[in-house]
């Protein structure tokens, strides 16, 4: 039976994160042979938001779909970019009237894929229910498409709950947003591959990707100090999901790579 391989990468952070990701990506593709590559890009440009130029750089590098979350709105021109670029998603459960969409359908490697993007509400802005919006989204998608969801959420309770709610109806539910890769991957009873958080592609010497000094000042003084991405050596985090023709996930391999030399990957 044919298998399909979806490579999902955690939030890419700042220019050093992008640079490192682009340097590792060819080795990663050689090694894992993904049919589909998705990346959360809401922190790509200066740590907050995404510019058209960075979106183009990432898509031109071979990433099939960019997902996002609560920080996607922070760069000028994002509304126009979301409307013009179908490969860039924002969480689908923003209320009606928000620009863009949270679903991208494509044909790749002989399969129909649908990449979905939703956002959690626990500890975050109270958007429309990701559960109800997922129901509506799935009702409009072909039953035999391979569905991969980036659930951008803070709460692991909400992440697991949505994973189990969608079990058997999507191939993958992978969390983003915390920038901390979790080791809770499992195949749910009805065949959905679940991972609580993909982690980040960003600077190692940092506080979840942000400059340590600025973050500590903010923690110590409780002043609203503007954070910036850290610089230096990076880690790339994500996971490969192997999916059968029936849409059931068969295997999950977490990926965490932090060697400065991408050529030593594998
Ligand atoms: Fe986020």
């Amino acid at each position: 039976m044919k298998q399909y391989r979806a490579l999902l990468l955690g939030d890419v952070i700042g220019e050093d994160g992008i640079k490192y990701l682009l340097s590792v990506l060819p080795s990663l593709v050689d090694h894992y042979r993904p049919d589909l590559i998705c990346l959360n890009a809401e922190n790509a440009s200066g740590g907050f938001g995404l510019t058209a130029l960075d979106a183009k750089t990432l898509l031109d590098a071979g990433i099939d779909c960019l997902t996002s979350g609560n920080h996607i709105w922070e760069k000028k021109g994002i509304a126009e970019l979301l409307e013009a670029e179908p490969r860039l998603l924002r969480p689908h459960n923003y209320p009606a009237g928000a620009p863009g969409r949270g679903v991208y359908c494509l044909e790749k490697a002989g399969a129909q894929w649908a990449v979905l993007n939703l956002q959690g509400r626990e500890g975050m802005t109270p958007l429309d229910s990701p559960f109800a919006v997922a129901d509506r989204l799935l009702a409009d998608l072909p039953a035999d498409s391979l569905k991969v969801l980036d659930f951008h959420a803070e709460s692991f309770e909400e992440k697991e709950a949505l994973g189990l709610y969608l079990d058997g109806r999507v191939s993958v539910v992978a969390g983003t947003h915390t920038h901390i890769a979790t080791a809770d991957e499992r195949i749910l009873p009805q065949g959905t591959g679940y991972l609580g958080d993909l982690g980040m592609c960003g600077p190692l010497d940092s506080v979840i990707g942000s400059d340590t000094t600025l973050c500590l000042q903010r923690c110590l003084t409780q002043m609203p100090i503007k954070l910036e991405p850290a610089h230096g050596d990076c880690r790339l985090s994500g996971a490969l999901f192997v999916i059968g023709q029936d849409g059931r996930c068969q295997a999950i391999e977490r990926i965490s790579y932090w060697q400065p030399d991408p050529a030593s990957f594998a």
Side-chain angles (χ1 to χ4, degrees):
M1 188 167 89
K2 186 161 171 40
Q3 292 178 321
Y4 302 94
R5 301 160 76 84
L7 175 64
L8 273 64
L9 298 170
D11 311 26
V12 64
I13 298 173
E15 62 175 303
D16 287 19
I18 293 178
K19 211 167 129 191
Y20 187 64
L21 169 64
L22 296 179
S23 74
V24 174
L25 195 59
S27 312
L28 204 60
V29 168
D30 272 358
H31 186 69
Y32 287 101
R33 296 172 287 107
D35 298 305
L36 179 84
I37 308 176
C38 300
L39 167 73
N40 188 299
E42 70 150 9
N43 301 116
S45 303
F48 299 95
L50 177 68
T51 62
L53 186 62
D54 285 339
K56 183 175 180 338
T57 300
L58 293 166
L59 291 167
D60 286 352
I63 290 160
D64 295 297
C65 185
L66 300 171
T67 55
S68 69
N70 53 310
H71 288 302
I72 191 59
W73 312 106
E74 299 193 26
K75 290 285 182 288
K76 200 166 176 285
I78 189 62
E80 293 79 5
L81 184 61
L82 281 164
E83 289 294 336
E85 177 51 79
R87 296 171 293 174
L88 170 62
L89 304 182
R90 51 84 169 161
H92 203 76
N93 54 325
Y94 272 84
R101 69 209 70 75
V103 59
Y104 172 55
C105 297
L106 72 158
E107 193 178 332
K108 187 115 191 275
Q112 291 287 337
W113 298 82
V115 183
L116 313 174
N117 194 186
L118 293 167
Q119 186 170 307
R121 299 189 295 181
E122 291 180 13
M124 301 183 82
T125 308
L127 304 180
D128 293 345
S129 164
F131 297 82
V133 172
D135 283 340
R136 292 202 292 273
L137 257 179
L138 293 176
D140 289 340
L141 292 172
D144 59 352
S145 59
L146 304 177
K147 301 170 188 78
V148 172
L149 169 64
D150 172 349
F151 187 37
H152 195 79
E154 182 75 37
S155 155
F156 287 95
E157 179 188 6
E158 193 178 18
K159 289 179 185 188
E160 282 200 341
L162 187 69
L164 287 159
Y165 185 68
L166 298 178
D167 186 17
R169 296 195 279 159
V170 302
S171 299
V172 173
V173 173
T176 57
H177 178 65
T178 70
H179 300 184
I180 305 295
T182 55
D184 57 347
E185 76 276 18
R186 60 180 166 135
I187 297 172
L188 302 177
Q190 302 304 317
T192 294
Y194 173 85
L195 176 65
D197 206 292
L198 292 164
M200 70 170 181
C201 304
L204 280 166
D205 184 8
S206 72
V207 177
I208 61 168
S210 292
D211 180 87
T212 303
T213 304
L214 293 174
C215 198
L216 282 179
Q217 277 174 6
R218 195 158 91 155
C219 289
L220 289 168
T221 66
Q222 291 301 304
M223 293 294 103
I225 293 164
K226 192 175 178 315
L227 296 179
E228 290 172 15
H231 294 284
D233 291 346
C234 289
R235 178 198 300 277
L236 175 146
S237 295
L240 182 83
F241 295 83
V242 179
I243 303 164
Q245 260 176 325
D246 57 2
R248 293 175 75 100
C249 184
Q250 298 176 347
I252 305 170
E253 185 175 344
R254 277 185 284 116
I255 299 166
S256 174
Y257 188 74
W258 49 273
Q259 301 298 323
D261 176 12
S264 68
F265 186 79

